[in-house]
Amino acid sequence: TASVSIVVTMVCFGCSQKKSTAEEHFITKAAGHTCIVYRNSNHAYVIMKAPATIRKEAVKEIERRYSDYLSLHRINAITAIDGSPMECDGLKYDGQKIEIHDTSYIIAAADSLAADTADYCIIARGFRGDAVKLAHKIHADTFLLGSDLDIRRHNRYADSLTVREIPFRSLRQF
């Protein structure tokens, strides 16, 4: 009976463990820039609006900060995607909109954005404009206030979006 209970325990424990998915994506929490990391099998793509001068350093920071995650998923390469359009492995980027299968993002890191729609619009440090005007231009289901925003600007954007009842979340809180 002891061996039966050990086998049952092992089977139950094995079934209760979360299975690793072949792909996933998340928004990084970094002080200086906003990135989306997309993992497909053992390759990761980092989409960022950071200037080219700091892009390599940003990738190194991601490698350091997420080293356990990278090794757990046996990621052997990270590709930094700049503003150039590209499409591969379930990821499509046209220079403004990022589409990962059925989820779309726009990173507002500059004031000059073309009118568009997306599931999420991330307001990043490089955006200096009016968040409400951005919401009228970029029709997103939810706006995300980047963790890289200055706290005063973050709070100003949060206040103006709240007053206009525009749905948003702060990435500073997570």
Side-chain angles (χ1 to χ4, degrees), residues 27-31 33-35 105-109 119-135 140-163 166-174:
I27 301 168
T28 64
K29 185 171 182 160
H33 47 272
T34 298
C35 300
Y105 298 88
I106 292 174
I107 300 176
D119 296 313
Y120 300 96
C121 179
I122 305 168
I123 301 176
R125 183 170 79 172
F127 180 76
R128 304 266 191 255
D130 183 323
V132 174
K133 287 181 182 175
L134 177 67
D141 291 338
T142 305
F143 286 81
L144 303 173
L145 301 179
S147 61
D148 59 345
L149 286 172
D150 174 75
I151 189 69
R152 289 174 295 192
R153 190 165 353 132
H154 172 278
N155 293 341
R156 187 174 68 242
Y157 290 160
D159 290 343
S160 63
L161 293 170
T162 299
V163 167
I166 298 169
F168 77 94
R169 292 263 189 227
S170 172
L171 297 179
R172 283 183 171 273
Q173 299 170 355
F174 301 103

Side-chain angles (χ1 to χ4, degrees), residues 32-33 48 50-59 125:
H33 47 272
M48 66 181 76
T53 55
I54 66 166
R55 199 167 290 129
K56 278 187 179 179
E57 189 56 41
V59 170
R125 183 170 79 172

Side-chain angles (χ1 to χ4, degrees), residues 12-24:
C12 289
F13 182 74
C15 293
S16 68
Q17 298 304 301
K18 182 179 177 185
K19 304 291 186 254
S20 176
T21 58
E23 59 185 89
E24 60 191 345

Side-chain angles (χ1 to χ4, degrees), residues 1-44:
T1 59
S3 62
V4 170
S5 66
I6 290 173
V7 170
V8 168
T9 302
M10 289 174 52
V11 168
C12 289
F13 182 74
C15 293
S16 68
Q17 298 304 301
K18 182 179 177 185
K19 304 291 186 254
S20 176
T21 58
E23 59 185 89
E24 60 191 345
H25 66 278
F26 58 91
I27 301 168
T28 64
K29 185 171 182 160
H33 47 272
T34 298
C35 300
I36 297 174
V37 175
Y38 168 63
R39 179 183 66 83
N40 185 307
S41 190
N42 62 348
H43 194 92

Side-chain angles (χ1 to χ4, degrees), residues 96-138:
Q96 176 169 303
K97 184 187 280 186
I98 302 150
E99 295 179 72
I100 302 172
H101 296 291
D102 294 337
T103 306
S104 59
Y105 298 88
I106 292 174
I107 300 176
D111 295 340
S112 58
L113 291 170
D116 209 338
T117 60
D119 296 313
Y120 300 96
C121 179
I122 305 168
I123 301 176
R125 183 170 79 172
F127 180 76
R128 304 266 191 255
D130 183 323
V132 174
K133 287 181 182 175
L134 177 67
H136 292 301
K137 191 175 193 178
I138 304 295

Side-chain angles (χ1 to χ4, degrees), residues 51-123:
T53 55
I54 66 166
R55 199 167 290 129
K56 278 187 179 179
E57 189 56 41
V59 170
K60 286 181 186 176
E61 179 187 338
I62 288 169
E63 288 173 340
R64 279 191 305 273
R65 181 172 283 189
Y66 298 100
S67 61
D68 290 343
Y69 171 85
L70 297 172
S71 64
L72 175 69
H73 295 290
R74 296 184 178 97
I75 294 173
N76 55 21
I78 295 179
T79 302
I81 299 172
D82 56 14
S84 306
M86 61 90 60
E87 188 171 348
C88 66
D89 296 333
L91 170 69
K92 182 179 177 186
Y93 180 56
D94 66 9
Q96 176 169 303
K97 184 187 280 186
I98 302 150
E99 295 179 72
I100 302 172
H101 296 291
D102 294 337
T103 306
S104 59
Y105 298 88
I106 292 174
I107 300 176
D111 295 340
S112 58
L113 291 170
D116 209 338
T117 60
D119 296 313
Y120 300 96
C121 179
I122 305 168
I123 301 176

